[in-house]
Amino acid sequence: METSIRTIQVGMGPLGCLMTPVFGNKASIDVVAAVDVNPDIVGKSLGDLTTADSDVTVSDLDTALAQSPDVAVVTTVSEVDRLWPQIQPLVAAGVNVVSTCEELSYPWTTQPDLSREINAVAREAGVSVLGTGINPGYLMDFLPTVATAVVNHVDRVLIERIQDATTRRLPFCQKIGAGLTPQAFQELVTSGKIRHVGLTESMHLLAAKLGWSLDRTEDVVEPVIADIPVHGEGWTVKSGQAAGVNQTGRGYVDGEEIITLVFRAAVGQPNPRDTVTLSGDPDYTVNVPGGTHGDTATCAIIANAIPAIQAAPAGLRTMADMPPISCCL
Amino acid sequence: METSIRTIQVGMGPLGCLMTPVFGNKASIDVVAAVDVNPDIVGKSLGDLTTADSDVTVSDLDTALAQSPDVAVVTTVSEVDRLWPQIQPLVAAGVNVVSTCEELSYPWTTQPDLSREINAVAREAGVSVLGTGINPGYLMDFLPTVATAVVNHVDRVLIERIQDATTRRLPFCQKIGAGLTPQAFQELVTSGKIRHVGLTESMHLLAAKLGWSLDRTEDVVEPVIADIPVHGEGWTVKSGQAAGVNQTGRGYVDGEEIITLVFRAAVGQPNPRDTVTLSGDPDYTVNVPGGTHGDTATCAIIANAIPAIQAAPAGLRTMADMPPISCCL
């Protein structure tokens, strides 16, 4: 049997803890250390913190690096300028990095200087760095670019991620603002508490891969307003209240909207799905009926990225410029 | 503007002639020569042979090589052992190759020695060689591996390509055996005249990318029998006659069928589509409603592969081990 990949987890928050058992089910992945800055969990075992069977204990970074890891999975922050000081010691130590940091999925357009620095340090160390996940990282950027391979010309890209929260429990419904008045919803938008990070990065990846030069992008968060009451498990959304969130990314060339990303998570949504619609020569549609479960798919793609990033050419990678990730054993 | 890619076409049969105008619409591609062995077309211009506006004339290979091409598009044969003597002089001369040769899409399992030879010669020459197309090359191999990225575990892969020929004209219906008696259909199967090449290669690519070791594969061609009469433009298929072809690829591990590819082209088929269904943790479905037009998409993916193969690492490449192709300008 091939040697499994010595992996460390950096960031044992909710997402990191969801990933540990996924990694534990992969013969190709061996979690050899875990890192967090929260003193409440340092010293605890991954077996205590997660559903995985693991006696690895949460430590500091130096202790983790002493385990000679091949790959680090970093689930800490959304901003690449906050991420870089966290991963720079890993990269310098020759550890490949996969991160859920949304801005890392395509930082070249919004943060070119920092991207060049990450790329240079990674190449110097002979390792690769990738930001991925389900969104950004797959549904609204990678999958659409893959769909464009079979058409002659693309005029316009529309991507819709429609999630129906009706069967979800209260915490998720609260997270998406369901049950709020429009005013209360708007206050959470203004304070940045309801906002999905990554639409801008997805648009820039798409544009770069298609050779498009965007004049500008927009990222607008609005409530979906319920027009009839919706009842779920332990909650009710009344008519006129927010049923959830609708976030729209728009990319323009010469004043024309040629990229539209619709991210909607709300109760009472019919026909949940992920859909890529290319308008061009010819038109082309790729659909995931029922949609893609965010947490499950994010854990899966990060796990599956571990062998891929170890094999990828050194440097700051994106999903568009390395061999495609597939399910690993 | 970036310099366009100096491209030659080798093989000016029906598919090659369909591609020329597609290449002509791409600013990134410049067709600088064309090659064929048919004395009836040598010396004719691509403008005469195709709908493209081009005064490039069909010549022999040496004349084409004198144009210092970057990439050759080769649309000649389906068998990689027949292809290699044709492309070896191109590779040795430092020309990257993209071919519709079905067996080239994944020759590593069925022809490992030849694959190693192609890989070695290509690496020595610093160029890359790729077999692609819509099927094999995309729908039944590449797209499914891409879909597996977002699941934790795959138990079984089912891929269905269902084409409805009802609106197609007589030559296509004849090609798929529509209107034949079951006996006459079987005779064409036995003589190899009704057969799609590539299901085996698609299964081997899938298996290799998923880390599966197949015991054996099957590739079975059968008629679809019409249960009611079907009428089209200039033809009628009676009840009991062949409505078209159903070809099934099956891949087994430990006696269990874990890959199933269904390729069906017949008149009277409801719900034409290309569908990838993964059974696993979780199940996952990707669907192309209406399906993908074979000729159009093949021309598109070959055109879009030209910049991709020029940028790819040297060697014998497959769709699974190079950065994904997307629509080029």
Side-chain angles (χ1 to χ4, degrees), chain B residues 132-315:
Chain B
T132 191
I134 194 65
N135 177 29
Y138 189 86
L139 291 172
M140 290 193 161
D141 32 43
F142 175 72
L143 188 62
T145 72
V146 160
T148 71
V150 300
V151 303
N152 293 313
H153 178 76
V154 182
D155 290 315
R156 196 170 176 292
V157 179
L158 167 66
I159 302 158
E160 297 158 288
R161 176 151 170 71
I162 310 297
Q163 295 180 284
D164 178 25
T166 308
T167 59
R168 304 293 286 269
R169 292 166 66 88
L170 187 61
F172 184 83
C173 296
Q174 288 175 325
K175 188 177 148 195
I176 61 174
L180 297 179
T181 64
Q183 292 77 2
F185 187 96
Q186 188 54 50
E187 282 164 22
L188 290 185
V189 171
T190 304
S191 65
K193 290 196 177 118
I194 294 184
R195 181 179 200 80
H196 172 76
V197 179
L199 297 191
T200 301
E201 284 69 25
S202 289
M203 288 190 277
H204 286 310
L205 184 146
L206 265 170
K209 191 77 176 174
L210 294 174
W212 292 350
S213 195
L214 299 178
D215 313 329
R216 65 188 172 92
T217 62
E218 283 175 3
D219 184 344
V220 179
V221 185
E222 299 162 311
V224 177
I225 302 297
D227 51 9
I228 54 168
V230 187
H231 305 278
E233 188 181 339
W235 52 261
T236 298
V237 172
K238 296 176 187 161
S239 174
Q241 290 182 334
V245 61
N246 190 89
Q247 187 164 343
T248 310
R250 296 188 179 92
Y252 297 85
V253 169
D254 295 337
E256 193 186 344
E257 182 179 334
I258 62 168
I259 301 178
T260 308
L261 310 187
V262 177
F263 174 85
R264 187 182 307 156
V267 302
Q269 291 297 302
N271 191 18
R273 62 199 161 86
D274 296 305
T275 309
V276 175
T277 307
L278 306 178
S279 303
D281 171 25
D283 295 344
Y284 198 67
T285 300
V286 176
N287 188 44
V288 178
T292 308
H293 191 289
D295 285 344
T296 302
T298 294
C299 293
I301 197 170
I302 293 290
N304 294 328
I306 290 172
I309 200 64
Q310 197 188 28

Side-chain angles (χ1 to χ4, degrees), chain A residues 22 26 134 138 145-152 209 211 284-289 292 300-301 304 322 324-327 329, chain B residues 22 26 134 138 145-152 209 211 284-289 292 300-301 304 322 324-327 329:
Chain A
V22 173
K26 298 268 189 186
I134 194 65
Y138 188 87
T145 71
V146 160
T148 70
V150 300
V151 303
N152 292 314
K209 191 78 175 172
Y284 198 67
T285 300
V286 176
N287 188 43
V288 179
T292 309
I301 198 171
N304 294 328
M322 59 184 274
I325 294 168
S326 55
C327 188
L329 294 176
Chain B
V22 174
K26 298 268 188 185
I134 194 65
Y138 189 86
T145 72
V146 160
T148 71
V150 300
V151 303
N152 293 313
K209 191 77 176 174
Y284 198 67
T285 300
V286 176
N287 188 44
V288 178
T292 308
I301 197 170
N304 294 328
M322 60 184 274
I325 294 168
S326 56
C327 188
L329 294 178

Side-chain angles (χ1 to χ4, degrees), chain A residues 22-315:
Chain A
V22 173
F23 299 164
N25 285 329
K26 298 268 189 186
S28 56
I29 301 172
D30 189 11
V31 176
V32 297
V35 176
D36 204 285
V37 293
N38 180 351
D40 293 345
I41 64 170
V42 171
K44 288 196 175 163
S45 79
L46 295 184
D48 290 336
L49 290 171
T50 78
T51 63
D53 178 18
S54 168
D55 54 12
V56 166
T57 56
V58 178
S59 68
D60 62 16
L61 195 61
D62 286 342
T63 308
L65 280 174
Q67 290 292 324
S68 306
D70 303 308
V71 174
V73 172
V74 182
T75 51
T76 52
V77 293
S78 297
E79 302 80 13
V80 70
D81 59 352
R82 292 179 61 202
L83 180 79
W84 179 229
Q86 297 176 1
I87 67 170
Q88 198 275 341
L90 293 162
V91 172
V95 182
N96 300 284
V97 172
V98 178
S99 177
T100 52
C101 171
E102 286 89 346
E103 289 185 0
L104 186 66
S105 64
Y106 196 84
W108 288 100
T109 305
T110 52
Q111 292 170 89
D113 293 340
L114 182 54
S115 298
R116 279 191 287 269
E117 181 182 347
I118 298 172
N119 189 45
V121 175
R123 288 171 69 111
E124 174 72 24
V127 299
S128 40
V129 173
L130 173 70
T132 190
I134 194 65
N135 177 28
Y138 188 87
L139 291 172
M140 290 193 161
D141 32 42
F142 175 73
L143 188 62
T145 71
V146 160
T148 70
V150 300
V151 303
N152 292 314
H153 178 76
V154 182
D155 290 315
R156 197 171 175 291
V157 179
L158 167 66
I159 302 158
E160 297 158 288
R161 175 151 170 72
I162 310 297
Q163 297 180 284
D164 177 25
T166 308
T167 60
R168 304 292 289 269
R169 293 167 64 87
L170 187 60
F172 184 83
C173 295
Q174 289 176 325
K175 189 177 147 195
I176 61 174
L180 296 179
T181 63
Q183 293 77 1
F185 187 97
Q186 189 53 53
E187 283 164 21
L188 289 186
V189 171
T190 305
S191 66
K193 290 197 174 115
I194 295 184
R195 181 180 201 80
H196 172 75
V197 179
L199 297 191
T200 301
E201 284 69 26
S202 290
M203 288 190 278
H204 286 309
L205 184 146
L206 265 170
K209 191 78 175 172
L210 294 174
W212 293 350
S213 195
L214 298 178
D215 312 330
R216 64 188 173 94
T217 62
E218 284 175 2
D219 183 345
V220 179
V221 186
E222 299 161 310
V224 176
I225 303 297
D227 51 8
I228 55 169
V230 188
H231 305 278
E233 189 182 338
W235 53 261
T236 297
V237 172
K238 296 177 187 158
S239 174
Q241 289 182 334
V245 62
N246 190 91
Q247 187 165 344
T248 309
R250 297 188 179 93
Y252 297 85
V253 170
D254 294 336
E256 194 187 343
E257 182 178 334
I258 62 168
I259 301 177
T260 309
L261 311 186
V262 177
F263 174 85
R264 186 183 307 156
V267 303
Q269 290 298 302
N271 191 18
R273 63 200 160 85
D274 296 306
T275 308
V276 175
T277 306
L278 306 178
S279 303
D281 171 26
D283 295 345
Y284 198 67
T285 300
V286 176
N287 188 43
V288 179
T292 309
H293 191 289
D295 285 346
T296 302
T298 294
C299 292
I301 198 171
I302 293 290
N304 294 328
I306 291 172
I309 200 64
Q310 198 188 26

Side-chain angles (χ1 to χ4, degrees), chain B residues 91-129:
Chain B
V91 173
V95 182
N96 299 284
V97 172
V98 179
S99 177
T100 53
C101 171
E102 287 89 346
E103 287 185 0
L104 185 67
S105 65
Y106 196 84
W108 287 99
T109 304
T110 52
Q111 293 171 89
D113 292 341
L114 182 54
S115 299
R116 278 190 288 270
E117 182 182 346
I118 298 171
N119 190 45
V121 175
R123 289 171 68 111
E124 174 73 22
V127 299
S128 39
V129 174

